[in-house]
Amino acid sequence: MMLLSVLLITARLLHVALAVPLRMLEEVIPMEYLVPAVAEWRDGHGKALGIIVSTSAIVSAASSSILIWMILKSRARLSITYHRLVLGMSIADILLSLSFAQ
């Protein structure tokens, strides 16, 4: 199924890319030329998508902060390998979430 969808996307990109004028191939081709449906979707859903991404990023950062707090307040702290792994993943998640929170 995954291979079929990759093949269909590749075929569509090639078909659309060949229809683009040659002068456009010399520059960076915007996504709107490659997949016209992206432009229509993004124009209608841009604000909602931004709100959803920002909200989920804030919730993710808060959840990771709570996990870090729980680990540091436990008796075992960082002596357990599981705690060290979760701490590292939580720190990485906070950094990634803050980059998406805008």
Side-chain angles (χ1 to χ4, degrees):
M1 183 68 178
M2 179 79 160
L3 180 61
L4 179 62
S5 58
V6 169
L7 289 175
L8 288 174
I9 291 171
T10 305
R12 180 168 180 167
L13 288 175
L14 286 175
H15 173 70
V16 174
L18 293 177
V20 174
L22 287 177
R23 65 179 175 81
M24 291 301 296
L25 293 177
E26 296 171 359
E27 302 171 6
V28 175
I29 300 174
M31 190 62 149
E32 287 81 15
Y33 287 118
L34 296 177
V35 185
V38 170
E40 296 171 13
W41 186 84
R42 189 173 62 199
D43 290 341
H45 297 87
K47 187 173 183 179
L49 184 62
I51 291 170
I52 290 170
V53 168
S54 295
T55 305
S56 63
I58 291 169
V59 169
S60 178
S63 301
S64 293
S65 298
I66 291 170
L67 278 174
I68 291 173
W69 178 75
M70 289 173 65
I71 289 170
L72 295 179
K73 288 292 182 180
S74 70
R75 288 185 184 190
R77 292 196 182 222
L78 297 176
S79 62
I80 300 173
T81 305
Y82 176 76
H83 285 180
R84 290 192 298 262
L85 288 171
V86 171
L87 178 74
M89 288 189 298
S90 295
I91 291 171
D93 181 56
I94 289 172
L95 293 175
L96 184 67
S97 296
L98 291 178
S99 70
F100 280 126
Q102 300 171 353

